[in-house]
């Protein structure tokens, strides 16, 4: 689809129970203003569920309309077939837990920032995967992830977000019996395998921020499959988890990895298939790909429109700050389930959420400069790794030890931020950096009070 085919109308469909309270009173005016400032006519509809969204698209939208979908990956999964059939263009707003689809498009977590980044971008035609005729955009899995879906604690999910998935996967890893499957990838010979799990991915991210490989994209015309064999022990499984955090599972000696556009699984009859966070089918399975069929407004960063020759003052220092801030955000999220004191839990939960938003705003602003230049240090990022470390801390002062570690990490980040000449840095970069400095100050004060 081309921009010239657009009608000029934007239909904003938001999941009712996830809409900020203030927007219920003002009709989401701040959000509508972003689309109207970009030259579109905006209409708002609050929907109880994806079924209502599909009904609205079918009855109230015309080909060439832009449809803004506010929800998580499960909501996106539920509407993509309707979007394709109706000939509308989708803008995803991340209102879910993991938001891997939005992350794969380089859309920030903040709702207003997400809308602004997307509508000022360009139309991208994305691939979608299908398993037994059912669609998915991020990934479809059998084995441990599908079993873990039914183990997720709703209360833990509400408080910890993607960490809840890690907890459930840990339980399934230890409890679930391996599956005996015949796996055929493309024209390659079938392989008889005994597996803990098999995952087929279409997007760059899945499972709350995991990456199958560094260069995987939503429009590359291929499905990526990786499988974990039954003889992989818990320690090796943790190595795979770390590799998935940083897109290097292809290099793993513990996982089988292949890429093609047609995959067949035989065996394990009746075992559930998890796709984009929801159970949608069961084994046996046939995975296929439809290339470039889903029209989505994506930020220019997704299209690769960055100027890596551009620069600004203190660029190297800002890059370091961005990496250190992401490292701290991941550490806060991982510590939350380990902490026993409610005050410590609240500090980790609230700060991680605020810092995650700032990190995404900063990432969006830095992307035109080709920054950040590397991935953060994986040490302690995996929930399993942190759990093992915490096991050696089973002392009455375990929370105090965690607090001291966070304080030291935040102090170092604060020192880096102090080196930045914020008045000489572009405004869209300096603004999140200023917010970050304020947040780090609040975090240090909270930690000092906790340790007092």
């Amino acid at each position: 689809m081309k921009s010239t085919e657009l009608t000029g109308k934007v239909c904003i469909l938001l999941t009712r129970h996830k809409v900020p309270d203030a927007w219920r009173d003002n009709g989401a005016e701040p959000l509508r203003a972003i689309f109207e400032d970009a030259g579109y006519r905006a209409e708002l509809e609050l929907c109880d569920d994806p079924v209502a969204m599909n009904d609205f698209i079918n009855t109230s939208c015309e080909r060439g309309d832009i449809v803004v979908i506010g929800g998580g990956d499960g909501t996106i999964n539920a509407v993509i077939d309707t979007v394709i059939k109706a000939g509308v263009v989708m803008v995803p707003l991340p209102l879910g837990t993991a938001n891997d689809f939005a992350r794969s498009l380089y859309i920030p977590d903040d709702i207003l920032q997400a809308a602004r980044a997307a509508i000022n971008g360009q139309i991208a035609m994305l691939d979608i995967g299908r398993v037994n005729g059912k669609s998915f955009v991020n990934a479809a899995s059998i084995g441990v992830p599908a079993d873990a879906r039914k183990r997720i604690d709703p209360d833990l999910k509400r408080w910890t977000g993607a960490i809840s998935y890690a907890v459930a996967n840990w339980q399934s890893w230890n409890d679930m019996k391996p599956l005996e499957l015949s796996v055929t990838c493309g024209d390659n010979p079938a392989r008889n395998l005994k597996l803990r799990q098999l995952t087929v991915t279409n997007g760059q991210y899945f499972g709350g921020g995991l990456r199958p490989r560094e260069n995987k994209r939503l429009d590359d015309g291929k499905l990526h499959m990786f499988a974990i064999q039954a003889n992989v022990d818990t320690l090796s499984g943790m190595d795979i988890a770390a590799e998935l955090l940083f897109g290097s599972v292809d290099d793993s000696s513990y996982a089988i990895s292949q890429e093609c556009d047609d995959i067949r699984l035989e065996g394990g009859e009746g075992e559930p298939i998890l796709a984009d966070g929801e159970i949608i089918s069961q084994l046996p399975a046939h995975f296929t790909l439809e290339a470039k069929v889903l029209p989505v407004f994506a930020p220019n960063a997704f299209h690769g429109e960055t100027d890596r020759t551009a620069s600004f003052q203190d660029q190297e220092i800002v890059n370091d700050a961005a990496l250190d801030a992401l490292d701290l955000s991941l550490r806060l999220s991982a510590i939350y389930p380990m902490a026993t004191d409610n005050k410590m839990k609240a500090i980790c939960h609230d700060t991680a959420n605020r810092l995650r938003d700032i990190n995404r705003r900063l990432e969006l602003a830095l992307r035109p400069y080709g920054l950040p230049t590397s991935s953060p240090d994986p040490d302690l990022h995996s929930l399993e790794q942190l759990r093992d470390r915490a096991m050696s801390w089973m002392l009455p002062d375990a929370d105090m030890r965690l607090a001291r570690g966070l304080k030291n990490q935040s102090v170092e980040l604060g020192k880096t931020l102090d080196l930045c000449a914020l008045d000489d840095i572009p405004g869209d970069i300096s603004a999140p950096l200023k917010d970050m400095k304020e947040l780090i100050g609040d975090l240090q004060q909270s930690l000092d009070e906790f340790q007092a």
Side-chain angles (χ1 to χ4, degrees):
M1 177 174 288
K2 301 177 181 179
S3 297
T4 53
E5 298 179 57
L6 298 178
T7 63
K9 184 177 74 172
V10 173
C11 300
I12 306 172
L13 309 182
L14 303 181
T15 306
R16 189 186 303 275
H17 67 276
K18 294 183 178 181
V19 172
D21 291 338
W23 286 10
R24 300 178 189 274
D25 299 326
N26 63 20
E29 179 57 34
L31 180 60
R32 289 195 300 167
I34 290 174
F35 296 106
E36 290 169 352
D37 289 346
Y40 296 93
R41 306 186 308 276
E43 299 179 3
L44 174 68
E45 182 76 11
L46 300 183
C47 302
D48 291 327
D49 51 38
V51 174
M53 292 181 176
N54 284 327
D55 289 343
F56 185 92
I57 294 172
N58 285 326
T59 60
S60 303
C61 294
E62 299 178 358
R63 179 178 177 80
D65 287 351
I66 296 172
V67 177
V68 179
I69 302 296
D73 292 327
T75 301
I76 297 298
N77 176 286
V79 303
I80 54 176
D81 287 335
T82 302
V83 167
I84 294 171
K85 183 177 179 180
V88 297
V89 182
M90 182 168 63
V91 171
L93 289 187
L95 289 176
T97 301
N99 301 313
D100 286 314
F101 181 67
R103 185 181 287 115
S104 291
L105 291 169
Y106 303 116
I107 292 176
D109 285 338
D110 179 80
I111 300 175
L112 298 182
Q113 291 282 348
R116 189 174 293 110
I119 202 63
N120 289 312
Q122 305 173 52
I123 296 176
M125 298 301 295
L126 307 182
D127 307 334
I128 62 168
R130 295 196 187 278
V131 54
N132 296 343
K134 303 291 184 66
S135 302
F136 65 93
V137 288
N138 294 319
S141 299
I142 55 95
V144 168
D147 180 76
R149 176 64 181 84
K150 58 190 177 187
R151 298 174 184 261
I152 293 175
D153 185 325
D155 292 332
L156 184 63
K157 180 179 178 181
R158 183 167 57 254
W159 280 98
T160 67
I163 293 297
S164 64
Y165 294 105
V167 173
N169 273 274
W170 174 272
Q171 294 171 335
S172 291
W173 179 273
N174 288 284
D175 297 344
M176 186 181 177
K177 293 182 179 179
L179 299 174
E180 295 186 17
L181 301 173
S182 172
V183 181
T184 305
C185 189
D187 296 328
N188 296 301
R191 303 178 67 178
N192 294 320
L193 302 171
K194 194 172 184 179
L195 304 174
R196 287 181 178 269
Q197 82 170 70
L198 182 145
T199 297
V200 176
T201 66
N202 175 52
Q204 182 178 7
Y205 291 95
F206 73 101
L210 302 178
R211 291 186 293 176
R213 64 188 312 177
E214 181 66 32
N215 61 349
K216 187 77 182 78
R217 285 177 59 89
L218 283 160
D219 59 356
D220 61 9
K222 291 185 178 180
L223 296 172
H224 182 271
M225 181 202 77
F226 72 91
I228 302 175
Q229 298 190 71
N231 60 359
V232 173
D233 59 22
T234 301
L235 182 62
S236 301
M238 289 164 52
D239 288 338
I240 296 174
E243 288 159 347
L244 284 171
L245 280 171
F246 302 106
S248 58
V249 74
D250 279 351
D251 300 326
S252 174
S253 58
Y254 304 110
I256 299 170
S257 182
Q258 285 185 289
E259 202 167 56
C260 57
D261 59 6
D262 190 284
I263 301 166
R264 293 181 181 272
L265 307 181
E266 300 290 341
E269 279 75 8
E271 287 293 329
I273 299 173
L274 178 76
D276 299 335
E278 303 294 335
I279 301 297
I280 66 169
S281 189
Q282 61 185 26
L283 290 176
H286 182 202
F287 295 87
T288 57
L289 181 85
E290 287 198 51
K292 301 187 183 303
V293 293
L294 177 63
V296 173
F297 250 112
N300 288 324
F302 176 79
H303 296 276
E305 292 199 352
T306 60
D307 182 2
R308 295 183 180 271
T309 65
S311 62
F312 56 87
Q313 184 169 329
D314 293 341
Q315 182 167 303
E316 184 174 347
I317 298 173
V318 173
N319 180 72
D320 291 341
L323 293 173
D324 290 346
L326 178 57
D327 185 270
L328 177 59
S329 176
L330 293 170
R331 182 79 190 276
L332 285 162
S333 295
I335 284 178
Y336 172 85
M338 296 296 100
T340 58
D341 188 281
N342 287 335
K343 290 183 179 179
M344 184 64 174
K345 283 182 173 292
I347 290 172
C348 292
H349 174 265
D350 296 344
T351 306
N353 284 345
R354 291 174 58 192
L355 187 55
R356 188 180 302 116
D357 171 56
I358 293 172
N359 285 342
R360 295 305 297 272
R361 290 165 50 204
L362 182 60
E363 178 186 2
L364 183 66
L366 290 176
R367 196 165 292 278
Y369 300 91
L371 302 174
T373 55
S374 63
S375 298
D377 190 332
D379 184 40
L380 293 177
H381 289 171
S382 144
L383 176 65
E384 294 86 354
Q385 287 174 312
L386 187 59
R387 176 178 295 169
D388 286 349
R389 184 70 60 89
M391 287 298 291
S392 66
W393 294 343
M394 290 295 108
L395 302 170
D397 64 344
D399 283 343
M400 289 296 179
R401 291 171 181 255
L402 293 170
R404 286 196 295 271
L406 285 175
K407 176 66 180 296
N408 293 337
Q409 196 169 357
S410 67
V411 167
E412 292 305 312
L413 175 55
K415 290 178 180 178
T416 302
L417 291 169
D418 287 339
L419 296 175
C420 300
L422 297 180
D423 292 338
D424 298 322
I425 293 173
D428 59 341
I429 298 174
S430 63
L433 288 174
K434 290 176 182 177
D435 290 344
M436 188 182 293
K437 288 190 68 172
E438 180 180 351
L439 175 59
I440 294 304
D442 292 344
L443 172 61
Q444 292 176 5
Q445 180 178 345
S446 296
L447 291 171
D448 287 340
E449 293 173 353
F450 176 75
Q451 297 177 82

